Amino acid sequence: MDRRTFLGCGAWAAAALAFGPPARRLVAGEPAADLVLAKDFARVQKIGDGLWSVVSTPMRDGKFLATTVSNGGLVAGKEGVLAIEGFNTPEGAAWLSDLSLELTGRRPTHVVLTHFHPDHSGGLAGYPRGAEAPAIVATKETRRLLLEKLHKDPPAGEGDLAKAGTRLLLPDTILVDPSKPVTIDLGGRKARLVPRGGHTPSDLTVEVDAPRTIFTGDLFFNGLFPYYGDAIPSRLAETVAAIRKEDHAVYVPGHGPLADTAQLAPYAALLEDVGAAARKAVGNGTPAEEAWKSYVIPESLGAWALFRPDVARFAFEAWERELKGA
Ligand SMILES: [Zn+2]
């Protein structure tokens, strides 16, 4: 992954939301969840008791709103509050911390990072308030990737996290076993952190019951063509197959509006279709940098926002890397 690719992730997702998925998908598809708060950069919906989603809307009237960029949420019990994601800027995390205090009477006691990408992790420094600092929870591999990709070579530039003075925080509570889910008991509300992978070498989903809700991180882009810059494509497809095995669930994707189980079907089909095309190209000896140009998303899969015309290139390159073992 080169630097440009890495920097592109958050901005891409933001750009995608400028055009957004067609309104019919937004309106028809979203599961019932009361709107609690709408800011220009994000909206907050109540999914159940002590359970809220943050859906970011980083583009408004052609302007990039960098505050949060990624989706996330809050899970609250009697003894603790778990925030999902560090968001793009400390202002974004501080906003969610204030909102947690308002909605639950306390600031987050835990923050879970679904993966290392800067639009999900860059704002961590906004959570600690004086002596009050939440445990920052991630996998060992996510911590390693944060160190390798962000702390040693912090990106800079408009819309990115490492503005002058931004303190980068690292996870301090590590899921050591990459195959073993961990349950955090918040007091009458449990959150299960399930190590997965595919969007990056290490992703986590945050899963709760009543109602069954899965915060997928970027394993699921709803209505937007997914970002494959750090993907392991076959593993991504397997992971998506696994998280779809729910009769009824609310999904909070990494980007895009809330979804129900049925809405993962076109996403899984898109991954499959892109994969088939990319595997064929490798089989024919056509390099990814050429092959992506002739890829067209079948109309039967519905409308997918392409936030830049060459978004499929990353998918073809990821497949090529995987198949050639590069
Ligand atoms: Zn990501």
Side-chain angles (χ1 to χ4, degrees), residues 165-242:
T166 297
R167 194 160 48 102
L168 292 165
L169 285 188
L170 280 171
D172 55 18
T173 305
I174 302 302
L175 273 62
V176 176
D177 187 337
S179 64
K180 205 171 152 200
V182 168
T183 298
I184 297 180
D185 191 344
L186 300 162
R189 196 31 123 179
K190 285 178 181 165
R192 193 158 174 262
L193 315 184
V194 185
R196 302 185 186 274
H199 172 66
T200 70
S202 179
D203 301 276
L204 273 181
T205 52
V206 180
E207 309 190 3
V208 300
D209 294 325
R212 178 73 177 146
T213 301
I214 303 177
F215 293 84
T216 67
D218 284 355
L219 293 163
F220 178 31
F221 278 63
N222 189 15
L224 323 177
F225 193 98
Y227 175 67
Y228 272 80
D230 298 300
I232 305 158
S234 65
R235 194 168 173 208
L236 175 63
E238 283 165 21
T239 300
V240 170

Side-chain angles (χ1 to χ4, degrees), residues 45-319:
Q45 286 156 280
K46 183 171 181 177
I47 298 170
D49 283 342
L51 184 56
W52 294 270
S53 60
V54 172
V55 171
S56 289
T57 49
M59 287 303 287
R60 192 57 65 94
D61 302 327
K63 232 179 95 190
F64 177 50
L65 304 170
T67 312
T68 47
V69 179
S70 76
N71 289 351
L74 290 171
V75 184
K78 290 195 247 340
E79 280 135 41
V81 179
L82 183 147
I84 295 131
E85 306 295 19
F87 301 102
N88 192 48
T89 67
E91 293 76 16
W95 164 75
L96 189 64
S97 177
D98 288 347
L99 188 66
S100 171
L101 188 59
E102 205 177 297
L103 293 170
T104 74
R106 74 172 89 214
R107 294 189 183 279
T109 52
H110 301 76
V111 178
V112 176
L113 290 189
T114 61
H115 64 294
F116 80 94
H117 281 158
D119 50 328
H120 297 252
S121 65
L124 282 174
Y127 279 114
R129 298 296 171 92
E132 269 189 279
I136 301 174
V137 187
T139 65
K140 199 174 171 182
E141 178 66 0
T142 291
R143 188 179 192 280
R144 190 191 70 75
L145 288 163
L146 277 165
L147 267 170
E148 184 186 307
K149 308 288 187 188
L150 288 184
H151 287 241
K152 281 195 182 152
D153 184 22
E158 200 187 341
D160 285 296
L161 57 133
K163 294 175 191 144
T166 297
R167 194 160 48 102
L168 292 165
L169 285 188
L170 280 171
D172 55 18
T173 305
I174 302 302
L175 273 62
V176 176
D177 187 337
S179 64
K180 205 171 152 200
V182 168
T183 298
I184 297 180
D185 191 344
L186 300 162
R189 196 31 123 179
K190 285 178 181 165
R192 193 158 174 262
L193 315 184
V194 185
R196 302 185 186 274
H199 172 66
T200 70
S202 179
D203 301 276
L204 273 181
T205 52
V206 180
E207 309 190 3
V208 300
D209 294 325
R212 178 73 177 146
T213 301
I214 303 177
F215 293 84
T216 67
D218 284 355
L219 293 163
F220 178 31
F221 278 63
N222 189 15
L224 323 177
F225 193 98
Y227 175 67
Y228 272 80
D230 298 300
I232 305 158
S234 65
R235 194 168 173 208
L236 175 63
E238 283 165 21
T239 300
V240 170
I243 63 176
R244 281 178 65 202
K245 284 182 186 156
E246 303 274 344
D247 289 333
H248 295 289
V250 176
Y251 294 84
V252 183
H255 300 276
L258 305 185
D260 57 21
T261 308
Q263 283 174 291
L264 268 95
Y267 176 66
L270 175 65
L271 300 186
E272 175 59 35
D273 192 71
V274 173
R279 285 192 300 266
K280 195 172 159 196
V282 170
N284 291 341
T286 311
E289 60 183 22
E290 286 304 316
W292 73 268
K293 292 176 186 166
S294 50
Y295 180 68
V296 179
I297 299 171
E299 267 180 39
S300 60
L301 299 182
W304 294 86
L306 302 182
F307 25 92
R308 47 186 277 178
D310 64 345
V311 61
R313 179 166 61 92
F314 292 87
F316 279 73
E317 286 175 351
W319 271 111

